[in-house]
């Protein structure tokens, strides 16, 4: 494959530009990054057209987000993009943590088998975007308007009136709904004068993407206080195309202009990998990061997703992953509201659930940052003591925090959740949690669940299965139908708490659990579905 970063997307004239009145579109998405593209593809899968406004003419520069977590991969697999990510990316699940030159412990993020997707795939963000752009084109429902930008925004009684800039001047669009997925420097957020709340960290980190051939296991390596970066930290990851991501903590006082000079960055690279390493730079960047979010993710008919809504430190790979999971949460709700099958207040649950997820990610990444870059001498003493003990004492390893890696948020307190008759059992599959994959009918359970409301019967009780078959027509003919799926796979039974007794699950279109029961009742399932649709 030629370097996808060389692709230039031409600006194309749209009839909207010379319309006498603002052209109407049900959904306008601002930003053609991973979040905006995932939102558009998910909506297209449900039959909706959308317009994406993107000021750039090319894909992302630099690798940026590279660590795509299992849940994100499952989402993208449902959208038809999972296999390209697997094929191109570097699959990994193991990591090692070092203190000075000693390995203090190693970890395995997915020790069990029976999952379609791995723990993580490392793949540069520009490839992620490239495969999404290809998938968007195949739908025939997504109009990406490259080299255009939003210059004005006004919420009206009819929707959102946008002023859009293009190479031929400005024009206006009237959108029923706007998804602001335009990143950390969101124009939409600025136009609406919406402040972030949270922390800004002063420590600086240098990223070096280098191309080299290196015979080293595909693992995440993290160093505290290594000889080549004394008093600070460093990180090494492999990417696709023989690229490697190197991160160096360089401190608050580092000269940003000096650090990004290739000759200075090269000294750091050789310090980590050896003086004789043969490499070339692909990208060099330095950053300070923030842990902040908007107070609300929904503002009338404008919905914020990804970095435009929240910003986290990069430790734990929670930025890009949480953004794609925002899109996953938003798209099914927007679909049903646009089709008139759910009240607008369903979109309030988007803020409710994803703000809780943002708070969880902010908590984890802030704790990671405070451990990696202690703010006081006492904190440093505690950290170094834990690291020194971790090599021989298992209890100390639980204290080490080099970045708690991204996992899906369980919306445990969501107003959309229904009853839980398995309370205390199979907590990983409780209401609010993402559904768990398992082998199913020579394929995979998540593939079978798809992107619709689904009743999942787990277990071998044939009588309940027969009762469920009788109710199939009733559930299938609801305004928002509920499909029925049964599995007796041993791994599924174990993961869903159905080894000793059967269980019935109601799964939402984003494949999160809405409710679960020991006994099946069509009336109870229907009531829980209404709750998940914000009808009750």
């Amino acid at each position: 494959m030629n370097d996808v970063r060389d692709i230039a997307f031409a600006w194309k004239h749209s009839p909207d530009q010379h319309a006498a009145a603002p052209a109407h579109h049900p959904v306008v998405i601002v930003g053609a990054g991973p979040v905006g593209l995932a939102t558009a593809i998910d909506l297209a899968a449900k039959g909706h057209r959308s317009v994406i406004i993107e000021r750039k003419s090319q894909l992302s520069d630099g690798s940026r987000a590279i660590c795509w977590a299992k849940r994100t991969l499952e989402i993208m697999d449902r959208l038809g993009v999972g296999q390209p990510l697997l094929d191109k990316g570097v699959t990994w699940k193991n990591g090692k943590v070092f203190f000075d030159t000693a390995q203090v412990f190693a970890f395995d993020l997915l020790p069990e088998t029976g999952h379609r997707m791995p723990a993580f795939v490392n793949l540069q963000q520009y490839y992620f975007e490239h495969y999404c752009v290809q998938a968007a084109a195949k739908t025939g429902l997504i109009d990406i308007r490259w080299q255009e930008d939003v210059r004005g925004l006004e919420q009206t009684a009819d929707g959102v009136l946008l002023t859009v800039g293009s190479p031929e001047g400005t024009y206006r669009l009237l959108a029923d709904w706007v998804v602001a997925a335009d990143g950390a420097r969101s124009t939409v957020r600025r136009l609406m004068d919406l402040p972030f709340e949270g922390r800004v960290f002063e420590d600086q980190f240098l990223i070096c993407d280098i191309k080299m051939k290196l015979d080293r296991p595909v693992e995440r390596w993290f160093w505290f206080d290594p000889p080549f970066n004394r008093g600070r930290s460093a990180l090494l990851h492999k990417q696709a195309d023989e690229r490697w991501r190197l991160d160096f903590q360089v401190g608050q006082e580092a000269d940003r202009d000096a650090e990004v000079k290739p000759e200075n960055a090269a000294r750091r690279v050789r310090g980590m990998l050896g003086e004789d390493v043969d490499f070339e730079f692909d990208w060099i960047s330095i950053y300070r990061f923030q842990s902040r979010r908007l107070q609300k993710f929904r503002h009338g008919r404008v919905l914020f997703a990804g970095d435009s809504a929240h910003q986290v430190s990069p430790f734990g790979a929670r930025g890009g992953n949480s953004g794609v999971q925002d899109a996953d949460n938003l798209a099914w709700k927007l679909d049903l509201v646009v089709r008139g099958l759910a009240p607008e207040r369903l979109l309030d649950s988007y803020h409710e659930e994803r703000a809780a997820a943002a708070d969880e990610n902010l908590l984890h990444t802030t704790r990671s940052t405070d451990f990696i870059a202690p703010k006081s001498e006492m904190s440093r003493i505690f950290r170094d003591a834990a690291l020194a003990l971790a090599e021989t004492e298992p209890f100390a390893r639980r204290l080490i925090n080099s970045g708690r890696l991204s996992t899906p948020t369980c919306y445990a307190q969501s107003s959309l959740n229904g009853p839980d008759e398995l309370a205390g059992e199979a907590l990983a599959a409780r209401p609010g949690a993402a559904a768990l994959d398992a082998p199913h009918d020579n394929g995979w359970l998540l593939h079978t669940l798809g992107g619709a409301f689904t009743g999942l019967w787990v277990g071998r009780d044939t009588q309940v299965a027969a009762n469920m078959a009788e109710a199939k027509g009733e559930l299938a003919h609801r305004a928002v139908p509920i499909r029925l799926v049964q599995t007796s796979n041993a791994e599924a039974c174990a993961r869903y708490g159905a080894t000793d007794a059967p269980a019935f699950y109601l799964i939402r279109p984003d494949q999160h659990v809405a409710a679960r029961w020991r006994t099946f009742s069509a009336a109870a399932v229907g009531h829980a579905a209404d709750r998940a649709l914000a009808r009750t």
Side-chain angles (χ1 to χ4, degrees), residues 2 12 83 89 117 161 226 388 480 507:
N2 294 329
K12 295 181 180 179
Q83 195 59 49
M117 288 296 171
L161 185 62
V480 179
I507 310 295

Side-chain angles (χ1 to χ4, degrees), residues 92-147:
W92 68 278
K93 64 173 186 168
N94 298 311
K96 294 176 180 176
V97 176
F98 301 86
F99 181 38
D100 196 345
T101 59
Q103 178 182 317
V104 293
F105 75 97
F107 57 83
D108 184 339
L109 295 170
L110 190 63
E112 65 181 15
T113 59
H115 295 267
R116 150 86 169 144
M117 288 296 171
F120 276 90
V121 163
N122 280 3
L123 185 64
Q124 298 91 310
Q125 182 173 319
Y126 49 80
Y127 278 122
F128 190 104
E129 293 174 357
H130 172 68
Y131 295 125
C132 284
V133 169
Q134 289 185 325
K138 291 178 182 177
T139 69
L141 297 173
I142 301 171
D143 178 6
I144 305 179
R145 299 186 180 180
W146 301 97
Q147 303 183 50

